[in-house]
Amino acid sequence: MARNTPIMLDRLRHLRYPLSTVWDMDFLVVGGFSALLMKNIDRQFITFLLWSGLKWEDPALTIPETEKIIDEYAKDKNGEILTICTRELFECGWYNSPDPEQARTHHGDGGRAIPTRDLILSFERAGQYYRMPREEVWTATPKELNSFIEVQAQRDKEPLFRMGMICAAIFNTSMLKKAGGDEWRWDDFIPKTLDDIRQTPEEMSRVLGGL
């Protein structure tokens, strides 16, 4: 299970605010997601915040059902629910999250305000750049995606990675597919151990002859 905040209600549930959830919130909240913390704190607001954080785990959950759960199991705990939900939003990285495209190119600005939908679409483009499955991008949080992008950006600077990308491109464009028809990836050309680096002239010739 992905990182989350456990909360005991009608049963043990888990709060989390991935990209897909906040994309919906940005459309549902008047003024957009960025205006969330400026809203009047009332029962309706707390119910919406809790429902949004629970539906990644329970997609069929409705707002009326969430309200009923609060009435039956947390009637006098509105303040506690608000604190837990707000803390989870911060833990997910929704506030002060840098633009992933700037982070990828090593020009991050330390967290300037970015429209929520633009930020989410920027994460999606960064995920595509690093060949992260689209569904994984949308189920991740900004903090998780920024960590992933940081690692990938560091890898981009490594000579072996660049060499592997070039080799994969050459082999794929030459129609020389792997067994099973899969495309070559950069890590197919990176030695796993130092012993793997050694290659005889004959082996080199066979590889070049296959292009």
Side-chain angles (χ1 to χ4, degrees), residues 84-203:
I84 293 173
C85 291
T86 303
R87 184 184 300 127
E88 176 60 18
L89 282 167
F90 276 90
E91 285 294 325
C92 288
W94 281 110
Y95 299 100
N96 250 9
S97 182
D99 186 329
E101 291 189 344
Q102 292 192 4
R104 177 170 64 80
T105 54
H106 312 290
H107 296 293
D109 58 7
R112 66 178 174 82
I114 306 166
T116 303
R117 294 176 212 174
D118 291 348
L119 177 65
I120 292 174
L121 292 175
S122 188
F123 275 121
E124 184 180 48
R125 288 191 294 271
Q128 291 173 341
Y129 177 83
Y130 289 117
R131 301 179 67 178
M132 186 178 190
R134 189 170 182 269
E135 60 273 14
E136 290 185 17
V137 174
W138 283 86
T139 56
T141 66
K143 181 178 285 187
E144 293 163 350
L145 289 168
N146 278 324
S147 296
F148 172 78
I149 291 166
E150 183 180 351
V151 171
Q152 301 302 310
Q154 181 63 34
R155 189 192 65 183
D156 274 352
K157 298 192 296 185
E158 298 176 2
L160 284 178
F161 170 72
R162 293 198 297 271
M163 179 194 72
M165 288 292 288
I166 293 170
C167 292
I170 292 172
F171 271 62
N172 286 325
T173 54
S174 69
M175 305 300 290
L176 187 64
K177 301 295 184 181
K178 292 195 293 186
D182 295 333
E183 289 191 346
W184 294 91
R185 288 174 45 86
W186 67 271
D187 49 354
D188 292 322
F189 300 90
I190 303 301
K192 305 299 185 294
T193 66
L194 290 178
D195 291 335
D196 294 337
I197 297 176
R198 300 185 180 89
Q199 192 177 45
T200 67
E202 291 77 14
E203 290 172 329

